[in-house]
Structure formats: structure tokens, C-alpha cells
């Protein structure tokens, strides 16, 4: 059955930081794809803004180059590219200077009744000043929304300050805090799997689940983002947001509806139930590592310190963490979380490890049975595998094989899977906050992360080096093996 694409209402999207990396790699290609799918109405406009001096034509050439580079050739139709490019204009404006802002006012004056989106694709230090100017110039209309990227803040206190600054100009229902993991197709499928199927929910608790593993592994290093990354590290860059959001989707209670606040209320309860790590916990519950030289698919690679050009950095590029959720459903079910750069393969997976059968009637004939495992593969090769023990065909004594019931999305759905940003930007235009983090969620996530950051500040020497191309420091293996469990290594594709 063909998917019905519903055109959105007219909108103006102002992108601050329009000439930056995010705009080039994600925002412009995402909007192009939506245009290609006929989802943008004729009136939709994009106004690029940054402090660089640029004409409309220069910005359009920049956008053309971005589409050329980041949109797959089979989707680049000249007529659609031209139509998309014609929607773009450019205004030079800076958060700290008055110049340029009257031009922005003028550019927006003709679309007062359209949804108006301010996308802050800039560093968090500019969130407050940009919002302040937007407010001062009277650019906020009843249909205005602001989009900010993660991580919101460096810790709970700075996140509060940022949220206060944004909140002075935009009310909470107009603030869209993007976590692009929530826009990934398979991440949304996690909700479908849990709440559109009756099969799993009765088993989805500590009586039947032994533990949960979430791995977000990357082969890349810090690439051109060392400056940002070194002030952030893996815990702020990945754990505080993407990974804790995944924990929420696995662990939340079924919401009463799919309304934004019904879903976010349930996610918030999970974040609030995360057991804070106490002083005695840290050594056994958290491991942080930094990649050394080694190898990756491209061949020999440098250490983080040489990528950075700073031999003193103690920033972590790997984190493994044992988290526990203090509520009835998840009592005694550890959540093992890990993420890192320069790991052996790019793979993001959620593994639900079920308990073994209560009594093995096959013990005499076949020996030990492997417990069921549900593997939700977020990327690449999106899909779901349910591992079962089945009888190997053939006469003679019973022999079991542990095989997956395999649902590969690329095979099941042959269409192109939209990128997370496509979905999320259209949600902003429609005014749907379901897949965006509410302020209290951000604060609750920091309440769990802050004690870890404080501990690391006091204990700089526990940073462990790992060779690029391996699964992180050996301490991460010990973290789970201490509990008699092992990390699930996804088979190489
Ligand atoms: C970003 C992080 O949010 O997510 C990056 O800042 C990371 O460091 C990226 O590489 C991973 O996203 P994806 O979609 O490639 O898994």
C-alpha cells in the first residue's frame, strides 16, 4: 500500500547557523527530501541566517552543493532541486549585533499567519542571545516555535540557565528540543513493537526479562568536531540524551494516548526512577575510556589525543554504564549501556535478554538451553530478531539450534527510509512535540548524569585507554561479566 504524504501548512523556517555542518549535512537535505515527496506547500520558505556575509545567490549555491553531496543521486531531480532552491533566501545577522535583524524582520513580514520556526543550529552559548533578539524584534507570533539541538547544557545547572533564557521568549509548548534518535524509524518502531502488539507486553518486566543491553557503537573518530567533542565527551554527547531516551522507550509504561504529554509523562517517570549512583557504586557501575591508535575499516587510525592535537585531554570517547530503575516493573533488571567511538563496527542495538525456561525438560538429551533474546537493531540493517531454540531437522536424538526469527526492514519495506531529521522537522511544522524532550525530562536526565560527572572531576585517573577497533576498555567487559553476563556482540554483516 502506498504511503499517503500529507502536505503540511505553509511555514517559514529561519535557520541560524545556516552555513554550518548540521545545516549542510542534515537540515537542507532533509527539507529537500520532503519537498521531493511533495510534502512542502508552495508557500514554504527557508531563510538562512549566519554571521557570514553572503548573498541570496551564494547561499543558494551553498545549498545546491549540500544537496549534491548529501542526497543520493536517484532522488536528485533537477526540477525539484530548482523548486527547492527557489524557496531559499539569506540574511546576515549575528546574535551580538543589531545589524541584519531589521532585514530578518522584513523578510518575515509577509508570512505572519504561517507557522514560523527558528532553528538554532548553533552552539548553546548562542541560544539565549538569539532568543533574546528574536523577542526584542517582535518576531515571535502565536505560531512561532524554536528548535534547539542537544546536549542542552553541560550539567543540570547550565541546562536550567539555558532553558530559562529560551523560556523568557518562547513558552514550553513552543520549544522543540531535538534528539535525533527519537526520529529514527526503528526507534519509533520500538513503541509500535511494544504497544501495537499484545505479544510482548505481558513478558515485559523483571519476572521474565533478565537484563537489557543498549549499545550505540561508532567506527568514526571525532572527525572535524574535536573542538566541540572535547568539551562534551561521550557521556554528554550520547548518554545524557540519545541513550537515556532509548532507556525511556524500553522501560516506560504504556501511555494513555500518543499525545505528546502523555508519552513524555511516562518517559519522565522512567528518568526519575533511575537509581542515582552513590559513592560506592562508581567503580563497579561506570567505565570511561578514550581511544588510542589502532585500526578501523579505513586502515590505521590515530589516537584521540593526536586527532585533537592536545596531549592532556581526559575527555572520554567511550562509556559503559550499569543503570538500574527503581520501580516494580524493572526491579533487579540491570540496563547495561555502552557507547563509543572507534569501535569495531557501526551498530546500534537494544537487546532484551529474557530469562531461561523455569525447568529444562531437555536437559538429559540436549543439555543447556539458551534463553530467548529480542534484538532490536536500530542501525544499520534496521530490523528485529527474536532468537529462539528450535529443533534441528533430522532423525535421531533431539538437537537444538538457536536461530533468529528475522524481520529485516529493508526487505520488508523496499521504500527509502526517511532520515530522522525529515520526520522531526515536519513534526515541528505540524506542532507535534511527541518526539521532543520536555524541559523536565532534560532536568531529570541531568540529575542522573551529574553525580557521574562530579565523580570523574575528582577521579581523573580512572580514564582507561582502549585500542581503536576494539570494544572499549577491558573494564567494560568486567562491568557486565562481574554479574555473570556478557555483552552481545552483533554478528558482522
Ligand atoms: C550525534 C553526536 O548526536 O549523534 C555524534 O553528537 C554522533 O557524536 C551522532 O556521532 C550519531 O548519530 P547517528 O545517527 O549517526 O547514530
Amino acid at each position: 500500500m502506498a504511503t499517503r504524504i500529507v502536505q503540511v501548512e505553509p511555514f517559514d523556517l529561519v535557520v541560524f547557523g545556516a552555513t554550518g555542518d548540521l545545516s549542510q549535512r542534515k537540515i537542507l537535505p532533509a527539507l529537500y527530501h520532503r519537498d521531493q515527496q511533495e510534502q512542502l506547500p508552495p508557500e514554504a520558505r527557508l531563510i538562512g541566517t549566519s554571521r557570514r556575509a553572503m548573498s541570496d545567490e551564494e547561499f543558494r549555491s551553498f545549498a545546491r552543493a549540500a544537496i549534491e553531496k548529501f542526497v543520493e543521486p536517484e532522488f536528485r531531480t533537477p526540477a525539484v532541486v530548482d523548486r527547492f532552491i527557489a524557496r531559499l533566501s539569506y540574511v546576515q545577522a549575528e546574535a551580538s549585533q543589531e545589524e541584519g535583524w531589521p532585514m530578518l524582520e522584513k523578510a518575515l513580514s509577509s508570512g505572519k499567519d504561517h507557522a514560523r520556526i527558528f532553528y538554532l543550529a548553533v552552539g548553546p552559548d548562542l541560544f539565549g542571545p538569539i532568543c533574546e533578539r528574536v523577542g526584542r524584534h517582535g518576531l515571535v507570533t502565536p505560531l512561532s516555535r524554536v528548535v534547539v539541538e542537544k546536549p542542552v547544557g553541560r550539567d543540570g545547572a547550565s541546562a536550567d540557565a539555558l532553558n530559562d533564557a529560551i523560556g523568557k521568549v518562547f513558552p514550553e509548548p513552543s520549544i522543540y528540543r531535538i534528539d535525533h534518535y527519537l526520529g529514527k524509524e526503528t526507534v519509533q518502531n520500538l513503541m509500535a513493537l511494544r504497544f501495537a502488539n499484545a505479544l510482548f507486553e505481558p513478558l515485559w518486566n523483571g519476572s521474565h526479562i533478565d537484563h537489557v543491553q543498549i549499545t550505540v557503537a561508532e567506527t568514526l573518530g571525532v572527525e572535524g568536531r574535536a573542538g566541540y567533542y572535547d568539551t562534551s565527551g561521550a557521556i554528554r554527547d550520547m548518554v545524557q540524551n540519545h541513550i537515556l531516551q532509548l532507556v525511556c522507550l524500553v522501560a516506560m509504561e504504556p501511555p494513555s494516548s500518543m499525545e505528546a504529554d502523555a508519552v513524555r509523562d511516562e518517559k519522565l517517570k522512567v528518568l526519575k526512577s533511575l537509581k542515582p549512583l552513590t559513592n560506592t557504586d562508581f567503580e563497579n557501575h561506570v567505565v570511561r575510556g578514550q581511544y588510542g591508535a589502532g585500526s578501523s575499516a579505513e586502515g590505521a587510525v590515530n589516537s584521540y589525543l593526536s586527532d585533537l592535537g592536545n596531549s592532556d585531554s581526559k575527555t572520554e570517547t567511550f562509556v559503559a554504564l550499569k543503570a538500574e530503575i527503581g520501580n516494580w516493573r524493572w526491579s533487579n533488571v540491570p540496563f547495561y549501556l555502552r557507547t563509543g567511538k572507534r569501535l569495531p563496527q557501526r551498530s546500534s542495538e537494544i537487546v532484551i535478554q529474557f530469562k531461561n525456561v523455569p525447568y529444562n525438560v531437555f536437559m538429559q538429551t540436549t543439555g543447556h538451553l539458551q534463553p530467548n533474546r529480542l534484538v532490536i537493531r536500530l542501525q544499520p540493517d534496521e530490523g528485529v530478531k527474536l532468537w529462539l531454540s528450535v529443533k534441528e531437522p533430522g532423525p535421531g536424538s533431539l538437537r537444538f539450534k538457536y536461530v533468529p526469527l528475522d524481520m529485516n526492514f529493508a526487505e520488508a519495506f523496499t521504500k527509502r527510509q526517511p532520515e530522522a531529521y525529515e520526520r522531526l522537522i515536519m513534526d515541528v511544522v505540524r506542532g507535534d512535540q511527541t518526539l521532543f524532550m520536555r524541559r523536565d525530562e532534560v532536568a531529570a536526565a541531568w540529575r542522573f548524569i551529574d553525580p557521574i560527572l562530579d565523580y570523574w572531576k575528582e577521579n581523573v585517573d580512572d580514564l582507561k585507554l582502549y585500542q581503536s577497533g576494539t570494544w572499549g576498555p577491558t573494564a567494560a567487559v568486567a562491568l557486565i561479566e562481574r554479574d555473570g553476563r556478557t555483552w552481545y556482540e552483533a554478528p558482522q554483516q
Side-chain angles (χ1 to χ4, degrees), residues 198-210 329-330 352 354-355 372 386:
L199 194 64
F200 294 113
E201 201 49 32
L203 307 177
W204 211 259
N205 55 55
S207 305
H208 302 281
I209 293 177
D210 177 72
R329 190 191 278 264
W330 297 112
I352 312 290
F354 288 95
K355 292 189 170 165
N372 298 123
L386 178 61

Side-chain angles (χ1 to χ4, degrees), residues 82 180 183 330:
D82 289 347
H180 79 279
W330 297 112

Side-chain angles (χ1 to χ4, degrees), residues 117-137:
I117 297 139
F118 299 97
Y119 197 128
L120 310 192
V122 293
D125 48 324
L126 293 177
F127 291 175
I130 290 180
C131 288
E132 201 263 325
R133 292 245 174 212
V134 166
R136 196 179 330 147
H137 283 269

